[in-house]
Amino acid sequence: MNKLDMPGRHSTLQSEKHAKSSFIPSPVESTSPAPNEEKINILLVDDTPAKLLAHEVLLEELGENVVRASSGRAALEQLLKGDFGVILLDVNMPDLDGFETAALIRQRPKFEHTPILFITGYNTSDLDRVKGYDAGAADYIFLPVVPEVLKAKVRVFVELARKRKIVEAQAHALAIQNARQQEQIRTIQDLNQQLIAANEELEAFSYSVSHDLRSPLRAMQGYAQALIEDYTGNLDPKAEDYLHRIRRAALRLDALVQDVLAYTQLSRTETRLESIQLDSLLAEIIQESRVLKQARASVRILPPIHPVLAHEACLTQCMTNLLENSAKFVPAGRLPEITVRTELLESRVLVWVEDNGIGIDPKHHSRVFQMFGRINHSNHYEGTGMGLAIVKRVVERMGGAVGYDSQPGQGSKFWINLAQGSS
Amino acid sequence: MGPSPLLLLVEDNEDDLFLMMRALKNAKVDLPLRTASDGQQAMDCLAAMETPADDSTGALPVIVLLDINLPQISGFELLAWIRARPKSPNLIVIMLTSSNHPMDIRRAYELGANSYIVKPASYEQLLEFARLFKAYWLSFNRSPV
């Protein structure tokens, strides 16, 4: 690229080189750069055309780009055009000599540290001046040039330049990658902000839903109740039945609104896990559950009930839903019998809730834990179809799993799997 | 026992007011009852009771059932107004609202509510609340005289 030679000159030089039998050609493998490596530019400065040519031929063997300049000024011009890994300067030149040229080169920040090889006769004063330059960035070669010495010295500097280029390229790539990562972090932060805003909006929405949807429901339910109470006996049985249906539907819708709210709120509550004594929690739930009482369910708790690692509110919700679910789905005329037991599985606890209910047909398997995944006719069984969906969500929030084992007509065994707590 | 307190229901929703009054009646809560459908009415009502012409025995005890979501003056503002007045030691404020928001609950207690009840979903529960209200606030609870 930076070569001053005409195209085709190269081959001439090659043949010339081979003509000179005194040169020992270096093995090609060691001198040619790898195909994907960029060639390093070498600037060769000499006012004597013969020396210039001879040194160029020698350096061509390194397989790099050799650029020639016939004076100090020409050299400075070349430096404007490109980057150089090493500069060979003839000391003895008219006008600007090698040292003067070197001083000018050093003034340019880009070439402040570029290695310079002075080519000099055996002359003490020259040597002293060479030593004035910083070690490592300058060296010297005596005339007449010994080809192997010249090549060896230049090769060292070329390799240095190549390494530096690689490091620079890597630094550049790293900088780009860094910038890209910064960009990604900014994007993530933006998205996070949007998410927080959306979450806040959802929260506000769900609370206003709670307020605005439930208020008319209370009225519907309450007035139906008032009619039933105040006009009993004055209504024919059909009218009374209709009123009961209105009342029940309003209650059902209210339960549904509450369940949907509970479900959406679950995703936002922070679930910090702590060790929970499941046995006392179960006792409290059984004590307080209206559904269990109304169903006259008997709940047996089989010791030992192992403590679990859970979030108390979430676990309460989950166990309540499982127990009430078991109490709800019993055939007409049968009283629910529920058994709760635990099982240790390495460091996990399997909590089983077993019932004598109607069981679940395997064909409904995929819908059991879905939202509104009711599989039974709503006329027979009260419910919102949210209970088990909430259980699944809650348990997964606590890093656990949920499942069941059931056959139609033979009851169901639901299990949840949680980390073991300390007693 | 001191004089039986006056009950002030502050509720803008006619249906809720009707059902609450019905539940109180069915639970045999037979207190003198006032209603206010907004904050201003409630303020007027309380202010009127607080200036007994010449009697130094002080104001009647009052129990306020207070909704949060009211037009113009919110239940919180009304509560803050009540608590800022010097002559209301005998004033029990029970929030009765459909909000179950933790922030609302905290704020109510910070402002000096004595109790916080989420409006029950069904009439049966409302009736149960009215019965428990009677037992707790009118029988077991003691207020400064």
Side-chain angles (χ1 to χ4, degrees):
Chain A
M1 251 174 1
N2 288 307
K3 267 169 100 168
L4 297 177
D5 306 314
M6 301 289 289
R9 179 66 194 266
H10 188 81
S11 56
T12 324
L13 284 169
Q14 285 295 327
S15 53
E16 236 173 293
K17 180 198 80 184
H18 286 300
K20 296 184 184 170
S21 53
S22 64
F23 293 124
I24 307 158
S26 313
V28 178
E29 307 86 73
S30 65
T31 53
S32 317
N36 59 347
E37 277 179 347
E38 224 181 299
K39 290 189 175 183
I40 299 296
N41 294 326
I42 302 169
L43 182 60
L44 184 55
V45 190
D46 206 313
D47 65 316
T48 318
K51 256 161 66 196
L52 203 55
L53 186 63
H55 295 163
E56 182 183 12
V57 168
L58 274 173
L59 295 174
E60 285 285 351
E61 287 177 36
L62 298 177
E64 310 294 341
N65 261 339
V66 181
V67 178
R68 301 181 305 172
S70 57
S71 69
R73 293 195 189 283
L76 293 172
E77 271 170 40
Q78 285 301 329
L79 293 179
L80 288 176
K81 295 183 199 162
D83 195 9
F84 291 88
V86 53
I87 300 166
L88 290 94
L89 273 177
D90 182 23
V91 170
N92 189 16
M93 289 190 294
D95 190 11
L96 282 176
D97 75 6
F99 292 120
E100 286 163 338
T101 308
L104 288 171
I105 289 172
R106 284 287 186 251
Q107 282 175 13
R108 300 191 186 168
K110 192 177 168 189
F111 297 103
E112 217 175 344
H113 304 292
T114 307
I116 295 176
L117 262 175
F118 293 101
I119 300 175
T120 173
Y122 191 76
N123 173 324
T124 348
S125 67
D126 278 1
L127 266 186
D128 287 345
R129 295 176 70 184
V130 168
K131 281 172 192 158
Y133 284 85
D134 51 342
D139 202 347
Y140 53 88
I141 284 180
F142 294 121
L143 284 166
V145 162
V146 179
E148 289 318 305
V149 173
L150 177 71
K151 281 194 286 184
K153 285 202 170 180
V154 172
R155 193 179 288 133
V156 168
F157 286 126
V158 160
E159 283 318 309
L160 257 176
R162 177 161 290 124
K163 294 265 153 60
R164 202 188 63 228
K165 274 199 165 175
I166 290 169
V167 170
E168 275 170 4
Q170 283 171 343
H172 184 64
L174 263 179
I176 288 175
Q177 209 181 338
N178 250 342
R180 217 173 277 154
Q181 268 172 2
Q182 287 297 328
E183 186 59 37
Q184 282 170 343
I185 287 170
R186 263 196 299 280
T187 310
I188 290 169
Q189 282 169 341
D190 282 355
L191 287 175
N192 232 347
Q193 279 303 319
Q194 287 174 24
L195 206 64
I196 288 168
N199 234 344
E200 279 167 1
E201 221 165 84
L202 184 69
E203 186 149 349
F205 170 75
S206 66
Y207 279 107
S208 65
V209 160
S210 152
H211 181 268
D212 298 333
L213 276 191
R214 296 186 64 198
S215 159
L217 281 172
R218 276 198 306 274
M220 281 166 66
Q221 193 274 135
Y223 284 113
Q225 178 82 23
L227 271 177
I228 293 166
E229 282 174 7
D230 295 357
Y231 295 89
T232 301
N234 295 336
L235 294 168
D236 67 52
K238 205 172 187 180
E240 213 166 301
D241 178 49
Y242 288 171
L243 283 173
H244 279 291
R245 283 171 187 268
I246 291 172
R247 204 186 124 258
R248 278 201 304 269
L251 282 177
R252 212 161 44 235
L253 186 49
D254 188 72
L256 190 60
V257 170
Q258 275 180 293
D259 276 359
V260 171
L261 282 177
Y263 188 81
T264 53
Q265 276 163 24
L266 281 176
S267 54
R268 295 193 307 275
T269 2
E270 200 190 340
T271 46
R272 195 168 294 148
L273 303 187
E274 53 183 354
S275 193
I276 289 178
Q277 305 307 315
L278 184 57
D279 44 3
S280 44
L281 187 88
L282 283 167
E284 266 175 56
I285 292 171
I286 294 162
Q287 177 75 31
E288 281 173 24
S289 169
R290 200 182 286 267
V291 173
L292 291 180
K293 269 196 204 92
Q294 277 170 1
R296 288 195 286 152
S298 67
V299 185
R300 247 184 347 147
I301 297 176
L302 289 188
I305 298 292
H306 298 285
V308 291
L309 211 55
H311 178 261
E312 189 172 338
C314 285
L315 186 63
T316 305
Q317 170 112 58
C318 165
M319 293 314 299
T320 305
N321 286 12
L322 282 177
L323 289 170
E324 292 185 350
N325 202 62
S326 286
K328 262 183 224 166
F329 295 100
V330 281
R334 189 188 294 173
L335 286 181
E337 285 167 20
I338 307 166
T339 306
V340 183
R341 58 187 180 85
T342 60
E343 202 177 299
L344 272 184
L345 217 77
E346 287 165 14
S347 60
R348 313 281 298 176
V349 179
L350 262 187
V351 184
W352 288 91
V353 178
E354 304 170 348
D355 63 45
N356 61 340
I358 52 176
I360 301 162
D361 196 304
K363 73 179 178 199
H364 297 307
H365 181 80
S366 62
R367 297 181 52 214
V368 168
F369 291 106
Q370 271 177 18
M371 241 173 137
F372 306 116
R374 292 180 53 89
I375 50 192
N376 295 292
H377 207 277
S378 58
N379 285 355
H380 298 282
Y381 297 99
E382 288 267 323
T384 59
M386 292 288 295
L388 290 176
I390 291 173
V391 169
K392 182 173 158 68
R393 186 127 172 194
V394 156
V395 169
E396 283 171 0
R397 288 275 296 176
M398 296 188 290
V402 60
Y404 72 94
D405 190 1
S406 178
Q407 286 300 322
Q410 295 179 15
S412 308
K413 298 174 178 182
F414 279 87
W415 55 263
I416 60 171
N417 177 328
L418 293 167
Q420 189 182 0
S422 51
S423 30
Chain B
M1 286 278 284
S4 75
L6 180 115
L7 186 59
L8 173 60
L9 274 174
V10 189
E11 173 62 76
D12 67 314
N13 183 316
E14 275 179 40
D15 298 327
D16 282 351
L17 188 63
F18 169 82
L19 294 170
M20 191 65 225
M21 285 170 70
R22 185 185 167 88
L24 289 169
K25 199 181 92 195
N26 285 355
K28 304 200 166 48
V29 178
D30 40 13
L31 297 178
L33 181 80
R34 301 274 174 84
T35 61
S37 60
D38 62 44
Q40 192 54 56
Q41 277 185 26
M43 285 178 181
D44 293 347
C45 174
L46 289 169
M49 284 190 306
E50 230 176 58
T51 46
D54 46 357
D55 205 334
S56 58
T57 53
L60 277 176
V62 178
I63 299 178
V64 184
L65 288 176
L66 181 53
D67 192 13
I68 291 178
N69 217 339
L70 294 169
Q72 280 117 44
I73 300 169
S74 81
F76 287 136
E77 286 167 308
L78 183 59
L79 176 57
W81 179 86
I82 289 171
R83 290 304 181 218
R85 291 171 74 79
K87 287 179 74 181
S88 56
N90 264 356
L91 217 150
I92 288 164
V93 178
I94 299 170
M95 306 306 289
L96 185 64
T97 168
S98 38
S99 166
N100 195 18
H101 200 303
M103 297 260 287
D104 285 347
I105 298 173
R106 200 171 61 217
R107 185 147 174 235
Y109 281 105
E110 278 168 4
L111 289 173
N114 298 91
S115 182
Y116 190 106
I117 311 290
V118 177
K119 281 179 186 167
S122 72
Y123 182 73
E124 277 95 341
Q125 286 172 46
L126 194 65
L127 194 59
E128 195 182 341
F129 163 72
R131 287 196 192 107
L132 292 172
F133 166 83
K134 186 184 180 187
Y136 186 92
W137 291 105
L138 305 182
S139 168
F140 288 107
N141 184 62
R142 285 288 174 272
S143 300
V145 183

